Amino acid sequence: MRQPRRSILGIFALTSLFWLSACTVFPQGESQRIYQLPAPNLPPSTMEPLAQSLRIDTPQAGSVLSSPRMVVNPRGNELQTYKGARWSDPVPALLREHLARAFGQSKILKAVSSDESSFRADIHLSSNLRRFQVIYEGSQPSAVIELHARLIDPVSREIIAGETFVVEQRLKSAEVPGVVEGFKLASDELASQLIDWTRSQVVDIVAR
């Protein structure tokens, strides 16, 4: 009776060693640092808030920009991503939240929400994100954001106004923390331009 038991224990030991050794065959997953886009810090408007409410929709984007990867355009039409680093959310959601917070801080409108909620709003801000990447001009890197924005009447689905915004922010450092800071400044500038444009368009709508 002891002989079979030793055989079973031996087989079990060999099997365990096999699985332990097999685990080292599979490569370790690449560790990644996850970065948030720093929150905006815009001063509130000194003008009286408008009576309209605004909903900010998640920007539409191509497959590369729809991921949390940090994209860089080193030359020509070539696109690469920063190794070992990514954003905390897909880029369109990241930018939507930044814009929603910036509009909220500006206090130019009665209320601001996003398409994450089911709140009704008088006007929708829809957009297409065309660029959110680092580009190189010679050896100098810059964070570039290009967004085509549209204000839409949610009832008629009519486009009230449309405009393309391009913001370029020189980076103090090409390292990832410098990239994050560059995109924060570029996103703040984009938000500031969008806020001014939206207010002027809403004022025009009311005056019609």
Side-chain angles (χ1 to χ4, degrees):
M1 293 294 293
R2 290 181 181 177
Q3 184 68 29
R5 187 177 179 183
R6 284 201 204 99
S7 298
I8 291 169
L9 289 173
I11 292 170
F12 178 80
L14 287 171
T15 304
S16 299
L17 286 171
F18 170 79
W19 283 111
L20 287 171
S21 62
C23 288
T24 64
V25 173
F26 298 100
Q28 296 280 338
E30 179 187 334
S31 61
Q32 289 195 328
R33 295 194 175 192
I34 301 173
Y35 291 86
Q36 294 179 320
L37 183 62
N41 187 22
L42 302 182
S45 173
T46 57
M47 293 178 279
E48 190 73 18
L50 300 173
Q52 286 71 26
S53 56
L54 179 73
R55 190 184 88 173
I56 299 176
D57 293 337
T58 305
Q60 298 295 310
S63 58
V64 173
L65 292 182
S66 293
S67 77
R69 292 173 292 187
M70 293 184 176
V71 179
V72 57
N73 176 203
R75 66 186 72 83
N77 295 315
E78 180 185 355
L79 294 178
Q80 298 179 6
T81 58
Y82 284 91
K83 186 178 181 180
R86 68 174 181 85
W87 295 112
S88 57
D89 288 294
V91 172
L94 204 73
L95 185 59
R96 178 201 65 211
E97 290 306 303
H98 195 86
L99 294 178
R101 294 182 71 172
F103 268 86
Q105 290 175 359
S106 73
K107 301 186 184 300
I108 65 163
L109 296 157
K110 176 181 69 176
V112 178
S113 62
S114 74
D115 56 4
E116 283 240 303
S117 66
S118 57
F119 300 135
R120 297 175 65 180
D122 300 311
I123 301 170
H124 290 187
L125 174 60
S126 175
S127 61
N128 290 89
L129 184 59
R130 294 172 176 169
R131 285 189 290 173
F132 194 98
Q133 61 207 51
V134 172
I135 65 168
Y136 275 81
E137 294 177 357
S139 60
Q140 179 63 52
S142 298
V144 175
I145 305 175
E146 181 177 353
L147 187 80
H148 179 66
R150 297 175 297 275
L151 294 177
I152 297 174
D153 182 329
V155 177
S156 66
R157 302 305 299 167
E158 175 188 358
I159 297 177
I160 301 167
E163 186 67 55
T164 298
F165 298 86
V166 180
V167 177
E168 186 170 335
Q169 174 66 46
R170 288 287 179 93
L171 302 185
K172 294 179 181 179
S173 168
E175 299 298 318
V176 172
V179 171
V180 173
E181 179 62 22
F183 274 113
K184 190 269 184 190
L185 296 174
S187 298
D188 282 357
E189 176 59 27
L190 173 65
S192 181
Q193 293 184 22
L194 270 172
I195 287 166
D196 291 344
W197 174 74
T198 299
R199 192 182 196 286
S200 67
Q201 295 300 324
V202 173
V203 169
D204 287 346
I205 294 167
V206 174
R208 289 174 190 171

